[in-house]
Amino acid sequence: MFAKSAGIVVQILFKTFAALQQLVLERRSGFYGYRYSGRGKSSGERKQMSVSKMSHLSTEDESELQSLLRQLLKNIKERILGAPSVECAEEILLHLEETDENFHNYELVKYLRNYIDTALGSVIEEETERCTSAEGWTLGSGQNTLVQQITRKARESKEYKEMMQSLKNTMMIVVESLINKFEEDQLKKEELHRKKQHEHASYCMDNCSDSGSSFNQSYTFMNQEQLQIIVGRMDPSQPKEIRREALQTLCCAPPSDVLNCECWVTLRKYLATALSDPDPTLSDKSLRFYAKTFSSSTFSTTRETYTSLAKHLESCFTSQQSPIPNLLAGLDITSPDIVRLLKKFRLLNEFQKEVPSFWIRHPEKFMEEIVESTLSLLSATHERTLRADTSDHVLEPVYFLALLDIKASWFKKWMHGYYSRTVVLRLLENKYKSLITASVHQCLDYFDSQNLEDDGTDNLCTMLYHLNSNRRTYYTGHELQYIYFVHSLCLLGRLLMYTHGRKLFPVKVKNRKEPVSLMDLLVLLIRMMYQHPNSAQNGNVTETESYAPANLVMEVLRMLCGRKECATECLYRSIVIDSLLFPISTLLKGKQVIVPCNETVLINTADILARIASTDRGLKLLLFGENNKIAARNCLSAAQVIAEFTKRLLDGELPTLASTEPSSALKGAFIFVCRQMYNTCEGLEVLMPYGLHESISKAWKKASLLSERTPTPVAGSESGSSTAQELQNTMILEEMLLDNLLNFAATPKGLLLLQQTGAINECVIYMFSRFTKKLQVSKCEKFGYGVMVTQVAATAPGIVALQSSGFIKAIVMELWSVLECGRDDARMINPKPTPVEPIDRSCQKSFLALVNLLSSYHAVYELIGNLPLPNKAAYSLREVPSSIVDVIDRLIIMNSNAKIHSLFNYEHSHMFGVRLLSVMCCNLDILLLLESQYNVSEILLNAQKENVGETLENPGDFIIDGLSVERNHLLVRMNLIGGTSERVLPPRVLQKGKDPYPWPLFSSYPLPKCYLREPSKKPAPKEDNEFNKLLKNSEKQTGWLENCKKQFCKTMTTKPDIIKGSILVELLEKVVGHLSDNPSECFFRPYEATDTSVKNLSLSPIQQLGIKIVVRYGRFLGLLKDDSDQELAILLMHCDRFLKQQQTTISSSLCSLQGGYVGHDWFTSTAFLIMSGDGERALKFLQQFSNLLASAFLWLPRLHASIHLSVESADSGIHPVYSCTTYYIEMLLKTEVPLVFSAFRMSGFTPSQICQHWLTQCFWNYLDWTEIGHYIAICIILGPDYQVYMCIALLKHLQQEILHHMQTQDLQVFLKEEAIHGFRVSSYLEYMGNLEQSYRTTILTEMENIKS
């Protein structure tokens, strides 16, 4: 085999070109001349030397090559011997360079490298000079490409082919000579072997082993006659000397020959007898044969050997002959009998841990016999134990196995793969369930035993540490019981991970009336953690502590928490949660528990509770109990108990802990549990009454103040180290509290609570520091800070905090780096490819980040409101933008040559800016802001005007390119208002054919007529006499409002097109009139509009531009006349004065709170259109409507800086539509349309942002006018909570599109730019009614709480 391997090695070395590539690298670096023997010679001399040397091979050269090849084979012989087949040996040698770190130090490899250099040196030098003269002498990122090119040229050269042919011929001679010599040596050895066989009974050295030299012989081949002679000599009746010699001979024979002999059955019996023999030599040699068989035999041989060893060990425990010690007597591991027994178990255990790595390659029968023999052994019981009482309990096999593998790693490996797990579980269920029963019984005994507390579990843990450190020679019965307990606990923990393992419960245990169920076992483990709480905190477990019961139980519980199915069946049960909460409930009742280790127990409990709360099902269990039983029983949920405990812990109100200050670890552990709940909408809903944000904020301020007061440590002083440690602990506590406070920003209402604590700026700075380091939010979070950043950016105070932290500057600079600068560390060998998409993939992340930041109007207003553009005369190429105003100036408003020349990639960068502007302008308030401050449309029109061709054939034609098409789309989008059937937007891409872009470009308004879609003239629907009669008799009927709601729902379902125009006006007026006349329905105190003239008032530029858009849309719909501008202006001024009566002065740094509402009043404009331009009628309607709760959520300016809000809410700058409506939208969406909710999370976008956008502008540009009217009607007639149900219905309608665009990573852009196709309010009215039945009480109650 070694001769064949030599040939293989040579062939592989022929195929290895790493030496050639290394040669090229070294020659390029200028160092190779010192590393080969041909230095100083010319290329011609080296080539001549190469040819002559190989073509005329001398005897000395042949001997040298043979010696080098022998040396190589000797170095790699272990690898070859370990291969089960020739094919495997070839595979090993093929990858020898990758796996052997000494490969390049072998003399044969050096010889071949020298030979390659001698033959190909001139070719490499010539090609290197040619390439470097063309490319320059520079080492850079293109180095690898150049090396590969030179290597390829060398391999294609004539010299290379000659070298390969010569090398093959030469090495074939060497290999053939080596084979002949090997065969001669083998014949001589066989002849010598035959002579020795006749002269001596034993012809092998006594110290031969399976790891001996392969040239000095490991195996001696035998025929059947020789094996029969050896078997006869191993008969127990033979003298010991003869048996020893026979065993020694057997150890040197191939195991496969031995196990395939005809007398294997007899031999196996003799081997087992030798294993049991009191003579240590016989026993050891027999055990050595087993070990040799395990390491170098086929699977059938290995199976036979293992089962034989297992049956022998089983017989040791089932017969009376073997001296197995008593449990009470303990175990002395220096006793010769025990030493031999432990050696056998060690060999067995080593194979148990190794066999799972290869048994899948063998028939299932192989594995099944191994598993069954093992389980049979562990189930064996000594006869004395069966006859005697428990006081004479003889040690069982599992005690010895536990001594060697205390954490049952063998069982862990066997249960890991499905292939073996099914067999293990089937045998446990059908034949060996007593093993599981014994393990459960051992855990119960440990828990029940009172003497453990007396002796101390700490001593047992120390004992186990010494066990692994080989420091113990004797173990008491008490210690052996604990070792068995640890093994049983680890085995049961692994069993609980799998479905069929859990099905083995309940089990019937001795001395127990009732069977032990799965829940009984888990409760037992948790109580054990409380009874013996000695464990390390925060996972810092030493070797000694890893054997403590609490840590062992925690390891099992963490393992179960990590698997969804396990946690569902094992942990998500009320009885388990109650057990975990036991110490917390006890402390809340004012009782003392487990005095020495209070914090350890509580920290362990908090860790498991946090893992449970981090999953949807576990969170639901903590919030509402199992099957929502908490609400039915009218008792506190687990979440409420945890929140109460955490609050009292932070406030220092726990009487049992008053004597000592709770540690930061304890506080952090329980805040983290609460954090897993309050960073979700449903969790915050339950925990809000406890005011955790206030308690955490107070604790943070206290820690912050303490860290400021702590003096700076002085080097060399005695108190310096203690002061430094104290300061470090305080800073860790401060950071931990800030981190948990930040997570309130995960929900809209939580963000309001965070803002009210006054710590939002510090929290955002902390978030930015972690965001830049790309750190995970927490150990239980799958996503980063993207969603949280988006949530914060949706509000005015949030965006201000992001700006002050440097977050926005970092985003802008990163964008500029990707867009304009590129990577500095990349050598530009090839030019950067021209982007095909408008937004290149490299810029997509920055684009979406800016879209998320600039989604909310109030956020954008804080960033650019009343700020002029720089519009510099010149821009340096090194001048990098650092703000949103700079981005607009450099990428969007391209109104000077200086801006154009300052860009390296003008078209690509400007296209990025125009696409960003397009998304921003989807928000009508942002559009009005940009238009009023920067005249965006005028600049775009001028750019189109300049983009005109000057050809003689078609002078004055627009040049159609990516920018002109994008600008054309944007100009139409900015000028037209309407839903899917009310406006036409030109495409952004060219079409195939002769006319790639049939849409006309323009450079001035008005728009070409092709963009103006004619209003659809549907035939007037038949009037509903019953509905008309109801409206006419509104003053005479009692209970008219309820009848109106029923008739409205019926009409909306059957004839929705009736409810528009004059019928809609009359319906809204009469419903609002009835509601406002009912004191119980008037949520706000009525205010009368003053009669003071408003003609002297002025409107803001944003409102003036808004009037133009509204009137243009109203004329398109046929609702307004040509002179409606002034009528709408007067209405807006009346409303502005009317609302200012109900506003309070706020001292805030937010720009949006300086004066009146900074946006356009889209609800007033909508009411104006509904009233067909009748300003007086609209004003009367709005005055009555302002008394109702619905006005707070439909009419956004209604609550701007309002006296009706609490001082904290008014100062926050966060509107109730965001903190209340969108909060419940997110909560319902997670339950009702979970796929959509997940899509938002994965996109880094939030439902609250897009819904706030839709609701602020009353769905203008997203729904047709009829559907907008229906939206207003259902929210006024059926209740303001229908605003939430409306958004849920919309997102449900868009589910497929949302899932698609989540995958294409443009969900934000799709939701903002695209109108909502095919949605009709009437089609989803029934669905909204179902939502009302489930959620109205909760949502309406919270909406009514906006005053508090």
Side-chain angles (χ1 to χ4, degrees):
M1 178 179 177
F2 291 112
K4 293 181 181 179
S5 301
I8 295 168
V9 172
V10 175
Q11 292 178 32
I12 292 168
L13 290 173
F14 287 161
K15 299 174 184 177
T16 301
F17 296 100
L20 184 56
Q21 292 201 9
Q22 182 66 25
L23 175 63
V24 175
L25 278 171
E26 291 167 345
R27 283 184 175 277
R28 290 208 69 206
S29 303
F31 297 117
Y32 192 74
Y34 299 99
R35 296 188 56 189
Y36 66 95
S37 60
R39 60 181 180 273
K41 298 180 175 62
S42 66
S43 61
E45 290 172 336
R46 284 197 301 269
K47 180 177 178 182
Q48 185 176 4
M49 180 188 72
S50 162
V51 174
S52 61
K53 185 174 180 179
M54 282 296 176
S55 59
H56 301 90
L57 189 69
S58 65
T59 306
E60 292 79 8
D61 292 333
E62 182 179 347
S63 300
E64 181 184 3
L65 280 175
Q66 285 185 11
S67 175
L68 294 177
L69 190 54
R70 279 180 178 273
Q71 183 183 9
L72 175 65
L73 293 173
K74 187 175 180 180
N75 288 327
I76 64 174
K77 73 178 186 351
E78 293 294 339
R79 297 173 181 269
I80 300 175
L81 285 174
S85 64
V86 176
E87 291 77 9
C88 293
E90 291 181 8
E91 188 69 20
I92 291 172
L93 292 172
L94 182 64
H95 298 283
L96 189 62
E97 184 180 7
E98 304 166 14
T99 57
D100 191 346
E101 60 182 9
N102 297 316
F103 178 80
H104 292 283
N105 294 328
Y106 297 142
E107 293 300 324
L108 179 62
V109 177
K110 292 180 181 178
Y111 183 91
L112 290 174
R113 281 176 54 85
N114 186 18
Y115 175 64
I116 293 172
D117 171 66
T118 304
L120 300 178
S122 60
V123 178
I124 296 172
E125 287 178 354
E126 292 171 4
E127 185 63 27
T128 302
E129 290 177 4
R130 188 182 68 80
C131 293
T132 52
S133 62
E135 296 187 14
W137 186 262
T138 306
L139 293 175
S141 60
Q143 182 81 18
N144 290 338
T145 304
L146 185 59
V147 169
Q148 291 169 2
Q149 178 183 351
I150 296 174
T151 304
R152 187 177 67 254
K153 289 289 185 181
R155 290 177 60 184
E156 294 173 354
S157 66
K158 174 185 174 184
E159 289 82 352
Y160 174 80
K161 296 177 181 177
E162 293 176 353
M163 178 200 73
M164 289 299 295
Q165 187 61 40
S166 175
L167 187 59
K168 286 180 181 178
N169 295 336
T170 301
M171 296 305 292
M172 284 177 65
I173 296 173
V174 173
V175 170
E176 186 176 355
S177 175
L178 188 63
I179 292 173
N180 293 335
K181 191 170 183 180
F182 179 83
E183 291 175 348
E184 292 174 3
D185 293 344
Q186 190 68 18
L187 290 174
K188 290 179 181 179
K189 287 183 179 181
E190 289 179 0
E191 183 65 26
L192 181 63
H193 171 69
R194 283 194 297 271
K195 290 180 180 179
K196 286 186 177 182
Q197 187 175 13
H198 292 290
E199 295 175 1
H200 305 284
S202 177
Y203 38 77
C204 287
M205 297 169 56
D206 187 58
N207 63 346
C208 74
S209 69
D210 59 328
S211 59
S213 169
S214 57
F215 290 103
N216 292 331
Q217 183 10 91
S218 291
Y219 294 140
T220 302
F221 297 94
M222 298 183 184
N223 53 35
Q224 291 293 326
E225 293 78 10
Q226 293 170 334
L227 285 171
Q228 287 178 355
I229 294 173
I230 293 175
V231 171
R233 291 176 177 176
M234 286 185 61
D235 192 305
S237 61
Q238 294 287 343
K240 288 187 178 180
E241 289 299 326
I242 295 177
R243 293 173 66 195
R244 289 174 187 166
E245 292 176 359
L247 265 175
Q248 182 64 43
T249 305
L250 202 64
C251 285
C252 295
S256 57
D257 288 356
V258 176
L259 289 157
N260 289 327
C261 72
E262 298 174 356
C263 49
W264 162 244
V265 177
T266 306
L267 179 60
R268 182 173 62 184
K269 183 175 67 173
Y270 291 167
L271 284 169
T273 305
L275 274 176
S276 307
D277 199 285
D279 181 33
T281 305
L282 276 175
S283 179
D284 288 345
K285 289 185 180 296
S286 178
L287 193 62
R288 180 174 296 179
F289 174 79
Y290 279 93
K292 196 177 188 71
T293 306
F294 282 142
S295 63
S296 58
S297 299
T298 61
F299 74 90
S300 58
T301 304
T302 306
R303 179 194 62 204
E304 289 279 348
T305 307
Y306 181 88
T307 53
S308 174
L309 179 60
K311 288 179 179 178
H312 159 70
L313 286 171
E314 185 176 348
S315 67
C316 292
F317 288 88
T318 55
S319 66
Q320 299 182 7
Q321 299 176 357
S322 301
I324 305 299
N326 187 290
L327 178 62
L328 294 178
L331 187 67
D332 181 8
I333 62 173
T334 60
S335 167
D337 292 335
I338 300 301
V339 169
R340 286 197 295 272
L341 193 60
L342 285 174
K343 281 184 179 180
K344 298 168 188 176
F345 271 103
R346 168 70 72 186
L347 179 61
L348 194 81
N349 183 244
E350 290 297 327
F351 182 76
Q352 287 171 347
K353 292 187 285 189
E354 194 68 30
V355 69
S357 62
F358 61 83
W359 63 13
I360 195 172
R361 300 196 295 266
H362 305 309
E364 187 175 339
K365 188 68 175 175
F366 166 75
M367 174 193 61
E368 191 167 342
E369 289 188 17
I370 289 177
V371 172
E372 182 159 15
S373 61
T374 304
L375 298 181
S376 177
L377 167 64
L378 297 180
S379 302
T381 305
H382 202 280
E383 291 184 8
R384 267 175 34 215
T385 302
L386 295 175
R387 295 195 311 267
D389 57 8
T390 55
S391 61
D392 192 28
H393 185 75
V394 178
L395 289 178
E396 298 171 354
V398 70
Y399 283 92
F400 291 87
L401 188 61
L403 266 173
L404 299 170
D405 187 4
I406 185 168
K407 288 197 172 182
S409 61
W410 68 273
F411 190 74
K412 175 182 177 181
K413 293 183 177 182
W414 284 21
M415 294 291 285
H416 180 69
Y418 178 80
Y419 180 70
S420 56
R421 183 167 66 245
T422 52
V423 175
V424 174
L425 292 174
R426 186 180 71 241
L427 289 172
L428 284 174
E429 182 179 10
N430 297 334
K431 296 179 66 175
Y432 302 105
K433 198 171 182 178
S434 59
L435 272 178
I436 309 303
T437 304
S439 297
V440 174
H441 187 266
Q442 186 66 21
C443 293
L444 289 168
D445 282 352
Y446 174 77
F447 180 76
D448 292 338
S449 59
Q450 298 298 323
N451 58 342
L452 285 176
E453 292 188 12
D454 300 333
D455 291 349
T457 305
D458 285 342
N459 296 331
L460 294 174
C461 297
T462 306
M463 172 272 299
L464 292 178
Y465 171 68
H466 292 324
L467 167 65
N468 285 349
S469 304
N470 298 321
R471 298 179 185 175
R472 294 294 298 269
T473 59
Y474 176 76
Y475 297 93
T476 66
H478 188 113
E479 292 170 339
L480 291 172
Q481 286 280 46
Y482 188 74
I483 291 171
Y484 181 23
F485 157 72
V486 174
H487 186 274
S488 300
L489 184 57
C490 295
L491 186 144
L492 290 173
R494 184 60 53 174
L495 200 65
L496 296 182
M497 289 179 61
Y498 306 102
T499 303
H500 291 284
R502 295 189 291 272
K503 288 181 179 178
L504 295 175
F505 291 87
V507 295
K508 182 64 178 175
V509 179
K510 186 179 179 182
N511 299 329
R512 297 271 172 173
K513 293 181 180 180
E514 299 294 332
V516 178
S517 66
L518 180 61
M519 290 298 104
D520 293 336
L521 177 63
L522 288 166
V523 171
L524 170 73
L525 296 181
I526 294 170
R527 293 178 62 191
M528 192 182 297
M529 182 173 66
Y530 298 154
Q531 182 174 338
H532 307 287
N534 302 313
S535 64
Q537 299 173 7
N538 301 328
N540 300 320
V541 181
T542 64
E543 287 190 56
T544 304
E545 292 165 334
S546 67
Y547 299 108
N551 280 323
L552 294 169
V553 172
M554 283 294 294
E555 187 177 335
V556 172
L557 294 179
R558 288 191 185 111
M559 190 166 55
L560 296 178
C561 286
R563 300 169 69 98
K564 183 177 179 181
E565 189 177 351
C566 298
T568 301
E569 292 189 28
C570 297
L571 301 180
Y572 299 163
R573 295 285 185 269
S574 295
I575 187 172
V576 174
I577 300 299
D578 291 341
S579 300
L580 288 169
L581 293 179
F582 170 73
I584 301 173
S585 302
T586 306
L587 285 171
L588 286 175
K589 293 174 182 176
K591 300 178 181 179
Q592 187 74 29
V593 292
I594 317 173
V595 179
C597 303
N598 248 343
E599 290 203 351
T600 302
V601 173
L602 296 175
I603 290 172
N604 286 339
T605 301
D607 183 36
I608 300 302
L609 289 171
R611 293 170 189 267
I612 293 174
S614 65
T615 64
D616 290 340
R617 188 156 184 176
L619 176 63
K620 187 176 180 182
L621 175 68
L622 293 179
L623 294 176
F624 311 113
E626 196 170 357
N627 301 321
N628 294 326
K629 292 179 181 178
I630 296 298
R633 291 185 296 176
N634 196 22
C635 59
L636 291 178
S637 66
Q640 291 171 312
V641 174
I642 296 168
E644 176 68 22
F645 178 81
T646 306
K647 180 175 177 58
R648 293 173 65 177
L649 185 67
L650 289 170
D651 296 342
E653 297 177 358
L654 283 175
T656 52
L657 295 177
S659 58
T660 58
E661 175 69 20
S663 68
S664 301
L666 178 61
K667 293 177 181 178
F670 273 92
I671 295 174
F672 188 74
V673 181
C674 295
R675 162 177 161 177
Q676 300 307 308
M677 295 184 279
Y678 66 63
N679 67 5
T680 65
C681 294
E682 60 272 29
L684 184 61
E685 186 74 9
V686 174
L687 301 191
M688 205 183 327
Y690 295 91
L692 286 174
H693 63 290
E694 297 175 352
S695 298
I696 298 174
S697 175
K698 288 178 184 177
W700 168 72
K701 290 175 183 177
K702 180 181 177 181
S704 180
L705 187 63
L706 187 62
S707 64
E708 292 174 2
R709 291 181 177 179
T710 303
T712 304
V714 179
S717 64
E718 296 180 359
S719 61
S721 58
S722 61
T723 304
Q725 184 63 42
E726 180 183 351
L727 180 60
Q728 183 180 1
N729 293 339
T730 305
M731 292 179 66
I732 291 174
L733 173 62
E734 182 182 355
E735 187 175 282
M736 178 270 294
L737 293 169
L738 206 59
D739 186 25
N740 288 292
L741 199 58
L742 167 66
N743 276 262
F744 276 98
T747 64
K749 184 173 291 185
L751 182 58
L752 173 64
L753 298 178
L754 174 61
Q755 196 278 336
Q756 291 175 354
T757 63
I760 187 171
N761 290 331
E762 290 80 2
C763 287
V764 171
I765 291 172
Y766 171 77
M767 177 177 67
F768 176 54
S769 68
R770 292 181 62 85
F771 183 84
T772 53
K773 298 173 186 176
K774 294 180 171 53
L775 297 177
Q776 194 176 0
V777 178
S778 75
K779 61 184 179 182
C780 297
E781 287 288 333
K782 297 179 182 178
F783 303 100
Y785 285 98
V787 173
M788 198 175 295
V789 170
T790 306
Q791 200 76 268
V792 171
T795 64
I799 202 71
V800 170
L802 287 170
Q803 187 176 34
S804 62
S805 70
F807 184 90
I808 294 178
K809 180 179 179 180
I811 291 291
V812 171
M813 294 181 71
E814 182 182 358
L815 161 68
W816 197 260
S817 174
V818 175
L819 203 59
E820 281 291 308
C821 302
R823 287 171 43 213
D824 294 333
D825 58 342
R827 181 183 177 189
M828 294 299 294
I829 297 178
N830 298 319
K832 187 178 179 180
T834 303
V836 178
E837 299 294 330
I839 302 296
D840 187 48
R841 178 59 60 182
S842 62
C843 305
Q844 182 76 4
K845 183 179 178 181
S846 298
F847 179 74
L848 295 179
L850 283 178
V851 169
N852 291 342
L853 287 174
L854 305 176
S855 178
S856 167
Y857 167 68
H858 290 283
V860 174
Y861 189 84
E862 295 294 332
L863 296 176
I864 69 173
N866 301 318
L867 294 179
L869 295 176
N871 283 327
K872 298 180 181 179
Y875 293 85
S876 168
L877 294 176
R878 295 182 179 273
E879 190 173 349
V880 178
S882 60
S883 66
I884 299 302
V885 172
D886 291 342
V887 171
I888 295 173
D889 182 53
R890 299 291 298 276
L891 298 181
I892 297 176
I893 310 296
M894 306 298 292
N895 54 355
S896 68
N897 289 330
K899 295 181 180 180
I900 297 175
H901 296 157
S902 70
L903 299 177
F904 288 106
N905 307 302
Y906 163 68
E907 288 191 0
H908 180 44
S909 299
H910 186 36
M911 174 64 77
F912 182 97
V914 176
R915 287 303 298 266
L916 179 62
L917 176 63
S918 176
V919 179
M920 291 175 65
C921 287
C922 293
N923 187 308
L924 294 179
D925 280 324
I926 296 178
L927 168 62
L928 297 177
L929 177 64
L930 293 172
E931 187 66 20
S932 63
Q933 289 191 178
Y934 307 131
N935 295 320
V936 176
S937 60
E938 181 181 343
I939 291 171
L940 293 175
L941 289 170
N942 289 335
Q944 292 292 76
K945 188 182 298 182
E946 294 172 359
N947 200 35
V948 175
E950 298 180 356
T951 60
L952 296 176
E953 295 82 2
N954 299 304
D957 282 0
F958 289 96
I959 299 174
I960 298 177
D961 58 12
L963 282 172
S964 63
V965 169
E966 187 65 36
R967 281 193 294 259
N968 187 61
H969 175 92
L970 180 53
L971 285 166
V972 176
R973 178 184 289 276
M974 293 169 64
N975 191 259
L976 286 182
I977 299 293
T980 56
S981 65
E982 295 171 348
R983 67 172 177 172
V984 178
L985 294 178
R988 286 177 158 133
V989 294
L990 302 181
Q991 302 174 359
K992 294 182 179 180
K994 296 181 180 179
D995 190 0
Y997 195 75
W999 301 89
L1001 301 180
F1002 57 94
S1003 58
S1004 63
Y1005 286 132
L1007 296 176
K1009 291 184 178 180
C1010 65
Y1011 296 117
L1012 303 175
R1013 178 172 288 176
E1014 291 295 328
S1016 57
K1017 296 181 179 180
K1018 297 181 181 179
K1022 295 181 180 180
E1023 293 186 0
D1024 191 325
N1025 294 329
E1026 189 176 350
F1027 194 67
N1028 289 335
K1029 183 179 178 182
L1030 180 69
L1031 293 177
K1032 290 177 182 178
N1033 299 329
S1034 61
E1035 305 296 334
K1036 301 177 182 180
Q1037 296 182 5
T1038 57
W1040 178 86
L1041 198 57
E1042 290 302 319
N1043 293 334
C1044 180
K1045 290 181 181 179
K1046 294 178 182 178
Q1047 190 62 36
F1048 170 74
C1049 293
K1050 178 181 177 182
T1051 306
M1052 279 288 292
T1053 306
T1054 56
K1055 302 176 183 178
D1057 293 335
I1058 291 177
I1059 303 177
K1060 64 180 182 179
S1062 59
I1063 294 179
L1064 177 62
V1065 172
E1066 188 176 359
L1067 175 63
L1068 293 178
E1069 285 181 332
K1070 292 193 174 182
V1071 170
V1072 169
H1074 271 75
L1075 291 173
S1076 60
D1077 290 340
N1078 186 351
S1080 63
E1081 296 290 345
C1082 289
F1083 186 76
F1084 300 108
R1085 180 164 59 89
Y1087 278 80
E1088 294 293 333
T1090 59
D1091 295 332
T1092 308
S1093 175
V1094 296
K1095 294 184 178 179
N1096 297 327
L1097 299 178
S1098 61
L1099 296 173
S1100 68
I1102 291 178
Q1103 290 173 318
Q1104 293 174 13
L1105 288 172
I1107 289 172
K1108 294 181 180 179
I1109 289 178
V1110 173
V1111 172
R1112 190 161 57 240
Y1113 185 41
R1115 289 174 182 167
F1116 166 76
L1117 296 173
L1119 300 173
L1120 300 182
K1121 301 177 182 178
D1122 294 339
D1123 57 350
S1124 299
D1125 301 61
Q1126 189 63 25
E1127 189 80 11
L1128 178 56
I1130 293 173
L1131 175 62
L1132 288 172
M1133 287 187 283
H1134 273 297
C1135 291
D1136 186 50
R1137 170 162 289 182
F1138 170 69
L1139 293 178
K1140 279 185 177 179
Q1141 299 176 34
Q1142 306 169 51
Q1143 292 176 0
T1144 184
T1145 303
I1146 295 176
S1147 57
S1148 173
S1149 60
L1150 297 177
C1151 299
S1152 57
L1153 292 180
Q1154 308 300 319
Y1157 187 72
V1158 293
H1160 184 74
D1161 192 340
W1162 294 105
F1163 182 77
T1164 297
S1165 299
T1166 303
F1168 182 71
L1169 293 187
I1170 289 175
M1171 303 298 172
S1172 299
D1174 190 335
E1176 293 184 3
R1177 195 174 184 181
L1179 180 60
K1180 180 181 177 182
F1181 167 77
L1182 291 170
Q1183 288 174 354
Q1184 291 180 325
F1185 179 64
S1186 66
N1187 300 330
L1188 307 180
L1189 175 61
S1191 67
F1193 298 94
L1194 293 179
W1195 191 6
L1196 266 69
R1198 175 76 179 85
L1199 289 184
H1200 173 72
S1202 175
I1203 60 175
H1204 302 296
L1205 295 175
S1206 64
V1207 177
E1208 295 81 5
S1209 297
D1211 289 347
S1212 69
I1214 299 176
H1215 198 279
V1217 165
Y1218 179 78
S1219 63
C1220 184
T1221 300
T1222 63
Y1223 166 75
Y1224 282 105
I1225 289 171
E1226 290 197 1
M1227 181 168 30
L1228 269 64
L1229 191 66
K1230 184 177 180 181
T1231 304
E1232 300 295 331
V1233 201
L1235 290 179
V1236 171
F1237 181 83
S1238 299
F1240 273 100
R1241 295 281 296 179
M1242 295 178 70
S1243 300
F1245 197 49
T1246 60
S1248 58
Q1249 269 201 334
I1250 189 62
C1251 291
Q1252 181 181 227
H1253 178 176
W1254 288 341
L1255 297 173
T1256 301
Q1257 61 194 50
C1258 297
F1259 293 101
W1260 283 40
N1261 278 352
Y1262 293 99
L1263 295 177
D1264 289 341
W1265 176 248
T1266 302
E1267 301 306 318
I1268 292 174
H1270 289 172
Y1271 156 68
I1272 300 293
I1274 63 170
C1275 291
I1276 293 176
I1277 299 170
L1278 301 179
D1281 52 326
Y1282 268 76
Q1283 189 180 56
V1284 175
Y1285 314 143
M1286 173 80 174
C1287 291
I1288 298 295
L1290 279 167
L1291 293 170
K1292 181 179 177 66
H1293 175 77
L1294 293 172
Q1295 177 167 330
Q1296 294 305 318
E1297 289 85 351
I1298 288 174
L1299 296 179
H1300 170 72
H1301 287 280
M1302 178 270 293
Q1303 294 178 342
T1304 56
Q1305 299 182 9
D1306 61 346
L1307 179 59
Q1308 300 93 314
V1309 179
F1310 163 74
L1311 290 174
K1312 283 180 163 292
E1313 289 192 338
E1314 293 297 321
I1316 302 170
H1317 295 265
F1319 180 82
R1320 300 201 68 185
V1321 176
S1322 57
S1323 301
Y1324 283 88
L1325 192 61
E1326 183 180 357
Y1327 175 71
M1328 295 184 213
N1330 294 333
L1331 294 177
E1332 176 198 340
Q1333 293 178 6
S1334 302
Y1335 301 104
R1336 161 155 280 189
T1337 303
T1338 303
I1339 297 176
L1340 267 185
T1341 302
E1342 189 61 29
M1343 284 183 164
E1344 292 169 354
N1345 287 337
I1346 58 173
K1347 289 183 178 181
S1348 58

